[in-house]
Structures are given as C-alpha cells and as structure tokens.
Amino acid sequence: MDILASILSTFAKFVLRNVDETMSWIIRRMLRGAIVILSWFVIPYSWMKTLRISRQKIPPMSTNILEIPAVDLAQMIRTRQIKSEHVVKAYIDRCRQVNHLLNAIVQDRFDEALLEARAVDDFLSSTTKSVEDIERETPLLGVPVTVKESIGLCGMSNQAGLRYENRRIAKEDAPSVAQVRKNGAIFLLVSNTPELCMFWETFNKVTGQTKNPYDLKRTPGGSSGGEASLLGAGATLLSLTSDIGGSARLPAMFTGVFGHKPTPFLVSPYGHVPTSGDPRWGDYFTIAPMTRYAVDLPLLLKCMRNPEGPPVDIDKAVDVKKINYYYMDNDGPSGLTRPLTSDMQEAVIRVARHFNAQKVHIDLLKWSFDISISQLLRIKDIETIYNQSWEDEKSKNLSTEWIKYLFGCSNHIFSSVLIGYLQKFVKSLPDRRHKQLEEIANELKNHFVQLLGTNGVFIYPCFPTSAPQHYRIFHKLLDTSYMMVFNTIGLPVTSAMVGMDKDNLPIGVQIVASPQQDHLCLAVAKELERAFGGWKKPPQSN
C-alpha cells in the first residue's frame, strides 16, 4: 500500500506540474500580448516626452579628487594627505554642477556636511590616535556618502516620492545609516526615487524625473535611479540604496557603476519607506551598497552591515582563478523576456570567456517571473497608497483612485495605482498554485546552492538591453525577472559594469553566489573592473 501511495503521489505531482505549466504558458502568452499592445502607446508617448529633453551633455569634472576611489580617499584623509573639507567641497560643487541636468537630488545638507568635514580635519590635526586605530574604528572618516531618499537620514526628507501636504522628515537614522555614520562618513544629501520605490524608472510628482548622465533622454533605472545618476556623473562616490526586484542592480548597470544585493539580513532592511510588517520582509528586501568603483563595495558593505546579521566574512581572501564559474545568456527560456541585444549577449560571453566559465542550462529559471510575482506581491502589510501606515494619511480606494488617474486627477503615478490591482489578482489565484510555485522556488534555490557551493559563481544578464529612453521600461517590465528571481530565492548578487554598447551606453552582468558567499561576488566584480576598465566618464560638454 505504501508503494502504491508513493506512486499515486508522484503521479499527482506530475499532473499538477503539467497543469501549472499549461496555466503558465497561457498566462505568459496573455502577458506578452498585453505588453505588445502597451508598447503601441508607450513608444509614441516616450518619443513625444523626450523631444522636450535637451541633448546637452554634463559638464566635465573639474578636479581629480572626484576620480579617487573611496578606499584611497579614506587613507589620504586619515594620513592628512588631503583635508576632508576639500573632498566634501569637491563633491558638493560637482552635485551643484550637474543636478540641474540630472534632477537627482531631493534635499541636500551641504552646509552641515562642510561643518562636519572641518570637525574631522580638526580632530585629525590634534589626535594622538594612530592611523591604524583610526582606520579600525572609523574606516570612512571624512568620506562623503549619499543616500536614497526612501532610507531614513535623520532630519531629511523621507517620503519616497509620495506627495504630502507637509514634507515627511525622518525622525531618526535607519540602522544602516547609523552604522555608516558610526564609521565616520559624512552625509551630503538624499536622492530621488519613484513613488514608494515601486518602479524601475525614477520619477514622481514631487521631485519629477531623474535623467541618465550618459544620455539625458534615457532612464537611469529605478528605484535607486537618483543615486545611480549621481554616481555615473561623478557627483558621488558611495551610495546607500535598496533592492527588492533589482532596484540597486538595474540602475547600477544603466549608469555604468556597481551595485550589490547582499545576503538577506546582512544589512538591516529596516528604516525604509515603504516597509512591511511581514516577518519575511528581509528575505526579499535589503538596503544595498552602490559604488562607482568595485574596489569600494566591500568597504561600504562592511560599514553598513548589521552587527546581528548572518556571519559573512566580507574580507575573506579570494583567488579568482580558483573559483568555479558558470553562466547562462537566457532565462530558460521563459517565453516572457526579450532576447538579449547582440551587445548584451556578447558582454556575457566575453565575461564567461575571461573566466573560462562553463555554460549551463538551468531549466527552472524559466519560472523566474512566476515565482517572483507570486511571492513579492503577496508580502503582507507592505505600504502602498492602499495600505498607508503613516500619520495623517488615509488609504486610497482602489476603484476611486483608478478613475481619478484615468481623468488625470490622481496625485500618484501609474505604478502606485496599478499595484493594488496586481496584488488583488495574484492573491486571487488558487492557493495550490502559490504552493506549487513556492516549491519550485525552493527547488531552484537548492539547485543553485548545490551547483555553486562555497566556491562558485553564476554569470547572468541583468537586463536584455542598455538603458532605454524614458518611459519605455513600461513595456519591458517582464524583463526585470532576470533580477527579481534572486530576491525571491535569497542569493547575494553583484551588478558589475563590463563595457559600453554601440550607443555608447553602459552594459553589465550579474554575479551570483550562494547565501553568505558575498565575498565571491565582490572579488569577481573587482576582477571585472580590473579586466574591463570599470566606470567610464559619460560624454561631457566642452
């Protein structure tokens, strides 16, 4: 009887899996059709909107201080080779020089930052502490840092692009900000995000649209587009961002810099807008470091890390020649995402050849969109315009808000209005389907853990194309599943810049490792920076 029961159970799972595959095939065809129809409206709209945007290039960088990695700047400051005030002033000047073109800054604290920099210089001129002690206690002493506006920086705007009658101000530092401040950094500003960080392009009805320094007619991505835009333009060096579906990795790729999604809870996920009361919030969402230079990622990550987080040895020595490398240049294929452009595919293959990587076929990746949407849209108590937890704000009605949006009367952007319908649709699907997708997600995670072990990395595309023109990300939403899947299954990932495409726009790849093996991603990113040159200056005006 036990044997018969086992056979019947296996047969039932086989039937259910095939039923689910059929359902997914139908849903995918419907989604692809909807995206094609959407593109008929988005492309003309994008064309009309970008006609108004100047083709002006950003001004050239006026000092080589702006081109020194943070690891070197920090050492120069604590050894008194350069004053913190000079460094901070150089970055303030650069922010002022480029922001009228980029529209990346929500609120600055330049005057306070200069006072803090002078205090650092005064301390260094009189202290009896050794350079080694200063480096151990405050490794970022005197180095400027910028923060995504959705992350709490005490006394600064903290409303994630959402319109209020009175500006919402952070009453305290987010835990990650507090850690970086404790390590000696000087905060300059908070930068723009899409409304409630719920989109892959950075615009809202408070600050407006942020632009890509490589081409003002193109998006810097989202939701960390403000930070990415400043990094790419040489207006910041170290950025605190966040990531729940590629929000740090996609902007990093679009602007030619480096972003890392850490192992869950390595950095505290709290002190952010939006947040969630779901105990698994930190399994999917994380505060994430983004830097212009790959060599700075480990330094910033160490300074951000949660003291009570998982035991990850960020400084563990790595011989990149002894790592096991694997790669794919498609997503299964799922039938949902667009094919990679020739430049993007060539970039993946070029990186794979550099490391002599083994090509693999992970069939389960074709479920990336299904498992990601199933889990991310069912996170409990996440803040949206329909579920507001902040003071003096009432939650919106789904139907009313949609009607207001259609008539141009809503205070919210399309993605914020749409999220309620997407959540409702996903939650209406049978529990059996969600359970099946959760089993597939666990199976996929286990497959990666077994494949990569503690000494392997997986090379994978971030996105099929370089940065599109503004608004065209709307009909490329399905392509973000290349990134979302790793939030869903909880693996650390680094987005690494590896070159430029035929349009002179940055392109990059993702480097994926097993949980708690962040040091492998970071080491490979540094090798890619060495091999392919890393960040390149955007086109600049004469």
Side-chain angles (χ1 to χ4, degrees):
M1 291 296 291
D2 289 342
I3 295 174
L4 179 60
S6 177
I7 292 171
L8 289 173
S9 176
T10 302
F11 178 73
K13 288 181 179 180
F14 173 79
V15 171
L16 289 174
R17 173 67 68 90
N18 277 276
V19 168
D20 282 331
E21 290 226 19
T22 302
M23 181 184 294
S24 289
W25 185 90
I26 294 170
I27 290 173
R28 286 170 183 166
R29 291 301 168 272
M30 291 172 62
L31 284 171
R32 286 300 310 159
I35 287 294
V36 169
I37 293 170
L38 183 61
S39 71
W40 299 344
F41 299 92
V42 169
I43 292 174
Y45 181 79
S46 169
W47 181 79
M48 288 187 294
K49 284 287 188 178
T50 54
L51 272 178
R52 304 176 186 176
I53 298 175
S54 168
R55 286 197 175 274
Q56 187 176 350
K57 297 175 182 177
I58 65 171
M61 300 167 76
S62 58
T63 171
N64 63 3
I65 290 175
L66 300 172
E67 299 180 53
I68 303 173
V71 289
D72 297 326
L73 266 184
Q75 179 68 7
M76 292 170 70
I77 290 170
R78 59 180 166 259
T79 56
R80 304 168 185 82
Q81 297 175 60
I82 191 171
K83 289 184 177 291
S84 173
E85 182 181 358
H86 293 165
V87 175
V88 169
K89 187 176 186 307
Y91 274 98
I92 289 172
D93 289 346
R94 182 61 175 170
C95 285
R96 287 173 170 159
Q97 189 181 34
V98 301
N99 192 58
H100 71 286
L101 295 173
L102 302 178
N103 191 39
I105 299 172
V106 175
Q107 185 182 10
D108 70 68
R109 57 186 308 275
F110 293 158
D111 292 340
E112 296 92 332
L114 283 169
L115 289 174
E116 291 168 11
R118 290 173 195 139
V120 167
D121 293 330
D122 290 344
F123 162 76
L124 289 171
S125 67
S126 60
T127 185
T128 57
K129 283 188 177 182
S130 69
V131 171
E132 292 75 20
D133 284 343
I134 295 171
E135 181 178 9
R136 185 181 65 256
E137 294 171 9
T138 51
L140 285 178
L141 185 66
V143 177
V145 175
T146 55
V147 185
K148 184 177 182 179
E149 192 252 1
S150 56
I151 301 169
L153 177 61
C154 188
M156 300 294 285
S157 178
N158 183 216
Q159 55 199 60
L162 195 63
R163 183 177 288 179
Y164 291 86
E165 287 189 14
N166 298 302
R167 173 171 271 175
R168 185 186 189 197
I169 303 298
K171 297 177 181 177
E172 60 184 4
D173 286 340
S176 55
V177 170
Q179 286 297 117
V180 173
R181 194 190 293 276
K182 178 182 174 183
N183 281 283
I186 295 174
F187 292 99
L188 298 184
L189 56 85
V190 290
S191 64
N192 204 24
T193 78
E195 188 175 282
L196 291 177
C197 300
M198 290 186 178
F199 203 52
W200 288 274
E201 174 154 7
T202 297
F203 70 101
N204 56 60
K205 294 195 174 185
V206 180
T207 305
Q209 185 176 66
T210 298
K211 300 173 182 67
N212 191 315
Y214 290 85
D215 181 347
L216 301 182
K217 291 180 178 288
R218 295 178 184 267
T219 179
S223 61
S224 305
E227 287 300 316
S229 182
L230 293 170
L231 282 166
T236 188
L237 190 60
L238 304 176
S239 295
L240 270 65
T241 70
S242 60
D243 194 307
I244 194 172
S247 292
R249 288 162 285 153
L250 187 67
M253 193 202 81
F254 282 177
T255 59
V257 296
F258 296 83
H260 180 69
K261 186 201 86 65
T263 290
F265 292 101
L266 176 59
V267 179
S268 171
Y270 304 113
H272 185 271
V273 178
T275 189
S276 165
D278 194 315
R280 294 192 64 189
W281 173 241
D283 292 334
Y284 307 123
F285 172 84
T286 183
I287 307 296
M290 192 189 293
T291 63
R292 201 181 331 143
Y293 301 106
V295 292
D296 291 335
L297 272 178
L299 172 63
L300 183 55
L301 182 59
K302 281 189 299 180
C303 292
M304 293 170 64
R305 73 176 300 163
N306 178 8
E308 299 176 357
V312 175
D313 187 354
I314 297 169
D315 284 329
K316 187 174 181 180
V318 176
D319 184 344
V320 293
K321 294 180 180 178
K322 294 182 179 179
I323 294 175
N324 300 315
Y325 295 93
Y326 308 91
Y327 81 99
M328 279 179 64
D329 56 6
N330 60 55
D331 65 344
S334 68
L336 276 178
T337 60
R338 287 172 172 77
L340 304 188
T341 62
S342 58
D343 288 325
M344 196 65 70
Q345 188 164 43
E346 183 182 335
V348 174
I349 293 172
R350 191 166 67 245
V351 171
R353 285 176 180 165
H354 179 75
F355 293 117
N356 195 27
Q358 176 186 343
K359 189 170 187 178
V360 293
H361 179 77
I362 303 174
D363 186 64
L364 290 172
L365 280 170
K366 70 185 180 185
W367 293 91
S368 293
F369 182 81
D370 306 67
I371 62 177
S372 298
I373 293 301
S374 172
Q375 295 198 30
L376 297 180
L377 286 179
R378 290 189 303 130
I379 296 174
K380 297 177 182 177
D381 300 323
I382 191 168
E383 293 175 286
T384 69
I385 63 172
Y386 306 110
N387 179 32
Q388 298 189 17
S389 62
W390 42 88
E391 298 172 1
D392 303 323
E393 291 291 325
K394 295 181 180 179
S395 296
K396 305 295 191 294
N397 175 271
L398 198 63
S399 301
T400 302
E401 200 58 36
W402 183 247
I403 292 169
K404 287 171 67 177
Y405 182 83
L406 290 177
F407 283 91
C409 301
S410 176
N411 286 329
H412 306 288
I413 65 173
F414 178 73
S415 55
S416 287
V417 176
L418 182 64
I419 189 70
Y421 286 93
L422 294 177
Q423 289 176 320
K424 192 171 183 178
F425 170 75
V426 168
K427 289 174 183 178
S428 70
L429 296 175
D431 288 342
R432 179 188 59 76
R433 176 163 175 77
H434 291 304
K435 184 177 179 181
Q436 182 72 28
L437 292 173
E438 189 169 345
E439 290 174 358
I440 293 171
N442 291 333
E443 190 178 343
L444 179 59
K445 181 175 182 176
N446 291 335
H447 181 91
F448 270 113
V449 170
Q450 291 173 16
L451 176 69
L452 303 179
T454 58
N455 194 42
V457 298
F458 178 61
I459 301 160
Y460 198 53
C462 278
F463 198 73
T465 71
S466 55
Q469 290 189 349
H470 291 291
Y471 304 107
R472 296 195 185 191
I473 199 79
F474 272 109
H475 68 277
K476 298 182 179 183
L477 294 179
L478 304 180
D479 298 333
T480 59
S481 60
Y482 275 104
M483 299 170 295
M484 285 194 294
V485 63
F486 299 114
N487 295 85
T488 306
I489 62 178
L491 303 186
V493 193
T494 300
S495 173
M497 158 70 166
V498 296
M500 311 292 281
D501 70 3
K502 66 180 186 307
D503 295 318
N504 204 30
L505 296 168
I507 50 178
V509 298
Q510 293 185 98
I511 308 299
V512 186
S514 294
Q516 301 183 26
Q517 308 304 315
D518 299 63
H519 63 288
L520 296 177
C521 302
L522 302 177
V524 172
K526 286 194 285 185
E527 169 59 18
L528 289 174
E529 180 175 56
R530 184 202 66 78
F532 297 105
W535 171 78
K536 293 176 174 58
K537 292 180 184 178
Q540 299 181 5
S541 59
N542 296 325

